[in-house]
Amino acid sequence: MAFDPKSITGLKSITGPKSITAKTARTGLAALAIVLSSTVAFAADKLQYFTWSGYELPDFNKSFLTAHPDGVEASIFGDDDDAFTKVKAGFRPDIAHPCYDKVARWNKEGLLQPIDTKRIKNWDSIFPVFKNLPDIQAGDGKVWMVPWDWGNTSILYRTDLVKHPEASWNLLWDKQYAGRMATIDAVHDTPIVAALLAGVNPFDMTPEQMDKVAEKLREQRPLLSNYTTDMTSVEQALASGQLVAAMTWNASATSLKKQGVPVEFMKPKEGMLTWACGFVMLKDAKNVDLAYDFINSRLDADSGKYLIQAYGYGSSLSTAFAGVAKDELDKLQLPADPEVMLKTTIFTGPMKQNDDVAKMFEKVKAGG
C-alpha cells in the first residue's frame, strides 16, 4: 500500500517485559521530542495538522492548497493513545484527527475548542448517524469533532492458506495457525474483540468481567506472531504467507486485493468493529481561519470520493458516496449508507474503563 492510514509504528514482537519497556521508552522520548520541536518548528502561517500516516496526502485537500500553497504542515501519530499522550504533554497543533471514542477524553482534559458548524460549508451533507453522535455535541450549533472518515476492523485472511474458516473472531484464537497470526496493538481493537468472545460488554466492564477478558487475551497471546499497528508490515507478511490471518482495517484488504493476493475481509458472526474519526480543533490553535478552510476542503465531495476509492474507507459525506458506482462499493464491502453497516457491526464508542483496560492489556502482552 504504500498507504497505512491508521499507523506508522513498527511491529512489536511478543517477547515479554523488555519489549513493553522499550515501547514505553520510545513513546516517552517521542513525546518529549515532539513537544520540544514544536516550540521552534511551527511556522506561524502554516496550519499544523496532527494525523494518522497516509491522511496527510494533498489529494484530500486540493482546494485548500489552491488557496494556500504550501499552507499545511503535517505531523504523524501512531494511534489515538499516542496522539493523546503527545498533546497532553504539550504538543500543540491547530487540528488533530482522533477517532470518536477518544473525543470525550480529549475534551475532559480541556484540550479542545468548539467548532462552529455554521462555518462548515458541507455540514448538512454529513450522514446524520455521524453528525449526531452524542460526545461531539458542544451546544449552540457547535461540535467538538467534525466527522470525516469511518471504516471497519476485521480479520483479513489468506483464502488459499485458511480454507473455509468459520465466520468468527475465534479464528484469531485457532491453535492450528499458531505463530502465523497478528492482531492490532490498540485498546479499542483487540480487547474489544476478546470481550465480545468472553460475553462481556466491551464498553463498560466490572472488575470481574475485565478478568474474563484478560484471560481470553492470555489464551490468545502465545498463538500470535505480533501485536502491531503497522499495517504495511502486516500486509507484506500476509502477501508472503508469513501470516495467514490478521486483524486489519479496510485499507489492507483493498491494497492486497489490488495486488492480486488471495485474501478475504471476514464478516464475523459476532460483528465487525466499525469506527469513525474526524477533525478536532485544539483550544489554543493559532491558525483558526486556516483550520476552517482546511476542514471545508476535506469536506469536498471529491476528497471523500478519493478516500473511498483509493483506500476502501467510508466518507462521512453522502455526496462522496453519490459519486461512486454501486458495483465498486460492493467490491469494497461498503454500503452507500453507513446505517446499513451499523445494523450488523459493533460501533466503537467510548470505553468507560479505558485506562484500566489499557493497563490490563499491557500486562497481558508483557506475559502477566
Side-chain angles (χ1 to χ4, degrees), residues 47 49-52 55-56 60-61 77 94-100 103 106 112-115 120 123 126 136 143-149 276-282 291-300 303 307 316-317:
L47 179 78
Y49 175 42
F50 196 29
T51 189
W52 309 89
Y55 281 146
E56 77 282 9
F60 291 127
N61 41 263
F77 56 75
D94 298 304
I95 286 182
H97 192 165
C99 291
Y100 165 68
V103 171
W106 287 55
L112 306 180
Q113 65 172 288
I115 297 171
I120 305 301
W123 178 254
I126 296 176
I136 73 169
V143 292
W144 299 111
M145 183 186 86
V146 175
W148 187 68
D149 57 312
C277 308
F279 306 119
V280 298
M281 198 179 307
L282 276 295
Y292 277 105
D293 287 352
F294 182 82
I295 293 171
N296 282 324
S297 180
R298 290 275 168 141
L299 288 175
D300 286 338
S303 173
L307 176 69
S316 66
L317 296 168

Side-chain angles (χ1 to χ4, degrees), residues 4-240:
D4 175 8
K6 294 284 288 184
S7 171
I8 58 167
T9 56
L11 284 167
K12 289 180 275 293
S13 179
I14 308 172
T15 55
K18 183 176 180 181
S19 64
I20 300 302
T21 301
K23 175 189 172 187
T24 304
R26 287 196 301 273
T27 301
L29 289 172
L32 176 61
I34 203 165
V35 170
L36 292 175
S37 65
S38 68
T39 63
V40 295
F42 279 6
D45 58 343
K46 282 191 178 184
L47 179 78
Q48 303 302 321
Y49 175 42
F50 196 29
T51 189
W52 309 89
S53 176
Y55 281 146
E56 77 282 9
L57 301 182
D59 304 79
F60 291 127
N61 41 263
K62 290 181 178 178
S63 60
F64 176 86
L65 292 174
T66 297
H68 311 284
D70 197 31
V72 60
E73 186 173 299
S75 302
I76 306 302
F77 56 75
D79 61 28
D80 280 306
D81 291 327
D82 175 36
F84 176 77
T85 298
K86 290 174 181 175
V87 172
K88 189 177 177 182
F91 180 56
R92 289 294 182 269
D94 298 304
I95 286 182
H97 192 165
C99 291
Y100 165 68
D101 58 299
K102 306 295 185 185
V103 171
R105 191 182 186 198
W106 287 55
N107 210 8
K108 185 179 178 181
E109 292 293 331
L111 299 173
L112 306 180
Q113 65 172 288
I115 297 171
D116 188 349
T117 59
K118 296 184 185 68
R119 297 186 64 179
I120 305 301
K121 65 179 182 181
N122 286 329
W123 178 254
D124 290 341
S125 295
I126 296 176
F127 289 107
V129 69
F130 296 128
K131 67 181 181 182
N132 294 328
L133 287 168
D135 282 343
I136 73 169
Q137 306 305 316
D140 194 28
K142 296 179 180 179
V143 292
W144 299 111
M145 183 186 86
V146 175
W148 187 68
D149 57 312
W150 60 275
N152 297 313
T153 304
S154 189
I155 301 172
L156 186 62
Y157 67 94
R158 285 282 298 263
T159 55
D160 56 336
L161 301 176
V162 181
K163 300 292 183 68
H164 310 297
E166 179 188 12
S168 171
W169 283 107
N170 280 309
L171 176 58
L172 294 181
W173 275 259
D174 193 328
K175 294 180 180 178
Q176 68 178 308
Y177 303 116
R180 303 182 71 190
M181 300 182 292
T183 194
I184 295 176
D185 186 10
V187 175
H188 51 275
D189 289 299
T190 298
I192 287 180
V193 171
L196 293 174
L197 295 177
V200 171
N201 178 356
F203 308 107
D204 189 7
M205 306 181 205
T206 65
E208 293 75 20
Q209 289 173 331
M210 198 175 302
D211 288 342
K212 290 179 65 176
V213 175
E215 189 55 39
K216 194 67 182 173
L217 291 168
R218 290 189 192 100
E219 180 186 328
Q220 182 190 46
R221 182 182 180 277
L223 306 178
L224 297 174
S225 168
N226 305 98
Y227 294 106
T228 182
T229 53
D230 180 359
M231 292 297 105
T232 300
S233 295
V234 167
E235 291 165 24
Q236 292 169 349
L238 283 167
S240 71

